[in-house]
Amino acid sequence: MVFRTVATRSPLAPACHVARAYVKPKTQLNVRAMSMRARPSTPRRVVSGLVTVTAIVAGAAFGVYCLDSRAGVHRWLFPPMMELLTDPESGSKISIKLLEHGLAPRDCGKDDEVLRTELFGKTLTNPIGLAAGFDKQGEAIDGLFDLGFGLVEIGSITPEPQPGNPTPRMFRLPLDAAVINRMGFNSEGHEAVRERLHARLHKWVQRVLSAGEGLVSSVGAPAPEPTALAEAQVFANYPVINTSLLDDAHVPRSLKQDRLLSINLGKNKSSREDSVVDYVKGVQALGAYADMLVINVSSPNTPGLRRLQRRSVLEGVLRDVVTARDDVAKQRIDSLPLVVKVAPDLSDAELEDVADAARASKIDGIIVSNTTVSRPAGLLSTQHVHEAGGLSGPPVKPLALHALQVIYKRSEGKIPLIGCGGIMTAEDALEFARAGASAVQLYTALAYRGPGLPRRIKDDLAARLRAEGKTWKDIVGSGLRDVPSYAPDAVNQVGLYPGAQDAFDRSVASVRHEIEQLRESFEGHASEERRALPFDIDEHDDRFKELLREAHRVTDDVPHFNDASSPQAGVLPQRTSSVPEHLLLMAKERGLTQGEVLHEAVHDAAAVPQAPAPALAASHSADATPMSTDKAAPDHTTLGGLKGHEAKSVPEAYRAPSTAEKRVV
């Protein structure tokens, strides 16, 4: 409305008063004119309504279609779009968020009975698992189980939060369907993940109590029995929700029937390389929430971590972690399997050492394998191929398969193995099973083939097994055969970070220089005669004689003397002899070398004697070793510039050997 002031004169008011009046603008007249126009006809309104309803129904149908992981868009449309529009790490984060909030597809099929298997005494509806590295913080566990995996592994998780390596740290090799990553254990830490797992448990218990449901989202598994639902109601009697109520209700930590939740434990970069404390902390903090724990000693992106795979170190690490696991397992009814994850870049001898260490430490299983630092021949991609980090995908499959065969053969099939590395099809899974894998894991293939990959692999796998008239358990280890030995090719290794190769080359050159110096030192003194300090022998000192025998036994087993120089100067043998075990223990405790502790032991037993009188030497000349009269007078100078004189008569057992038996360095 527009107000306009108009001056009017009223007989009842003074002329100066002004009244306000409303004046309708022209725009209002135009609106009224438009309202007078004819409305759309009935047929047109019907057509418009039908189009709207059709669009709504089509959108709903497409949404329902997309909820099934087998939909073609999840293989042919969405993965290429993700690859085109995002970098690898951003694409992974988007996928995690979609899975976390229930916006991802689900496996709507049912697992075939031929796929049912057992792992560590626990039943699995299928042997297809997700490897660690995708859901590092445990944010989308339920969404990942809904994709149809029988085993989901989260992590690696470190005790303290750490950001990992600088970005970019993940690279696609699309022509090879592979990925290179150097994430560096980016983790929110034990406490953050533990709180997230506890919140998941709390939410699930509340859902069970409010809806009277059983195991949430038991995709691919038979419906739970009514008795199981009744047992689940025991949760109502718990004033505080904790993991012990799962034991009473016989519910796995995955909260899914016949599924396993695995937690991968890593180390902080700031921790000592040889320290096992980080793994023990992980067992204590997260063991209560896991169906299975994994010790990661094979990531190539944490400096020094792979050195823990040496048997002498690995066995000690595993024993300490097994002890911590046993303490946690006492507080739960079911078992808590502990497995170790190894690299594919080990030689056959090193792989056999891993198998021996696993058996000796009584660990429950081995995951074979992690990413490789090598760049196998035949890679088609050229961009990013020389980036530092671990390579995953089909190129690592031959290495992982070979490592699996070696470990299975060495362990005689007595240790459950999980195959991982380059699995993209049902045929790949069958190859790993025949090589000894009780279950398999994939990760990289999920990014290239979409969320429907687990269902496609399971369907194809079931069809192949039924055609052979076998089950998954029947083929595990059935195709083991002798394979050529393998040793890593150092030429194709890639460093942990830019510039690492140069540092490695400098280290190698330094070691070679030290070896050359040692060789020159040994060659320069090869012909020199090494003598012990001069000493006198008291024929009544039995204790001293026994110590002397022990010293000679350590060095050469035969006590003898150099009669050409001084009858009391012992000559060390050419070969290097072993040191007694008690002396080795003493050296280790005191931080001494073997030579230092041996020298100290002999020196403490016998002090350097005083020079005897000349008459004493003459009185015993008849008992001394005969010497040729035409020889020059002996030189009594020994090592260290000490003057040696002829000592008393040497007992029969300590006399010098004959000329033919005499040995001088």
Side-chain angles (χ1 to χ4, degrees), residues 357-408:
R359 295 186 65 178
S361 60
K362 295 181 172 52
I363 206 167
D364 297 287
I366 304 174
I367 296 180
V368 188
S369 63
N370 211 320
T371 57
T372 177
V373 296
S374 66
R375 298 296 180 262
L379 290 176
L380 301 177
S381 302
T382 55
Q383 188 178 13
H384 303 310
V385 71
H386 295 298
E387 291 285 350
L391 174 68
S392 62
V396 78
K397 177 188 168 184
L399 300 178
L401 199 59
H402 176 88
L404 181 69
Q405 291 173 322
V406 172
I407 293 179
Y408 184 84

Side-chain angles (χ1 to χ4, degrees), residues 550-594:
E550 179 67 15
H552 279 287
R553 188 191 67 78
V554 169
T555 56
D556 198 32
D557 294 335
V558 178
H560 61 278
F561 303 90
N562 183 2
D563 58 353
S565 177
S566 175
Q568 65 270 28
V571 181
L572 298 178
Q574 277 190 325
R575 66 180 179 84
T576 302
S577 304
S578 60
V579 179
E581 186 174 355
H582 69 280
L583 292 182
L584 289 177
L585 183 60
M586 183 187 301
K588 183 177 180 181
E589 292 177 349
R590 299 177 56 187
L592 302 176
T593 64
Q594 298 179 15

Side-chain angles (χ1 to χ4, degrees), residues 531 564-566 632-638 643-644:
R531 302 177 182 273
S565 177
S566 175
D635 182 9
H636 302 300
T637 302
T638 58
K643 294 292 183 177

Side-chain angles (χ1 to χ4, degrees), residues 50 188 364:
L50 289 175
E188 295 179 3
D364 297 287

